[in-house]
Amino acid sequence: MAEWWNPSRRVERWWQTITLAWLLVFFGPSAIDKVITEPTAWNWVWFAIWLFATVGSAYYTVQALRTRNNPQPAWQDGTTAPSEVPADDVRNALASTDDRIPAIKALRELHPGLGLKDAMDLIDAQRGEQGPKH
């Protein structure tokens, strides 16, 4: 099933920034003015909702701006994280062959979402633990 909307980190950051600006520019002055001129319960509730939304939006905007240069790991795109692969599977893939490349292929067959570099790193780490024979 194809998704009709695939947000990128850049689009997410811009939407958060636009939402924050919208809350501050368009809703802020009227919410503050209503509380000052007519301090009714409804106006205080409206002000509390506006304040909560503005603080939340500011927090997520700052978080998005802080992490804008950090690359996302490849396994967040629907692939398997190396930490999700059991050590027994790595040992079994390595034991099924004497060569490194077929062991990497066997491990990727067991875990289809595992990337090539991640599988290679897992096999190399296991080979280093077992000694120079493998």
Side-chain angles (χ1 to χ4, degrees):
M1 181 172 144
E3 291 185 33
W4 66 276
W5 176 252
N6 186 12
S8 68
R9 295 179 82 192
R10 178 179 288 168
V11 171
E12 178 184 349
R13 188 172 59 245
W14 275 107
W15 274 114
Q16 289 168 346
T17 306
I18 290 169
T19 301
L20 178 62
W22 186 266
L23 284 168
L24 289 173
V25 172
F26 292 107
F27 292 112
S30 66
I32 294 169
D33 183 52
K34 285 180 183 179
V35 167
I36 292 172
T37 58
E38 298 176 39
T40 62
W42 172 248
N43 288 340
W44 277 103
V45 168
W46 177 249
F47 177 75
I49 291 170
W50 170 79
L51 187 63
F52 182 76
T54 303
V55 169
S57 180
Y59 173 78
Y60 286 114
T61 301
V62 168
Q63 289 299 322
L65 290 172
R66 277 183 161 175
T67 60
R68 70 183 177 272
N69 293 326
N70 298 344
Q72 283 182 313
W75 57 83
Q76 287 187 355
D77 296 331
T79 60
T80 304
S83 60
E84 295 175 1
V85 178
D88 291 338
D89 288 352
V90 179
R91 279 188 229 109
N92 291 340
L94 196 54
S96 68
T97 181
D98 290 335
D99 197 19
R100 177 177 172 227
I101 294 174
I104 293 170
K105 287 181 181 180
L107 184 61
R108 291 189 71 203
E109 286 174 6
L110 286 173
H111 300 279
L114 188 63
L116 181 61
K117 180 169 180 354
D118 295 328
M120 182 182 67
D121 291 343
L122 289 170
I123 292 294
D124 288 344
Q126 186 63 37
R127 287 176 71 200
E129 290 176 10
Q130 289 182 356
K133 182 174 115 180
H134 284 274

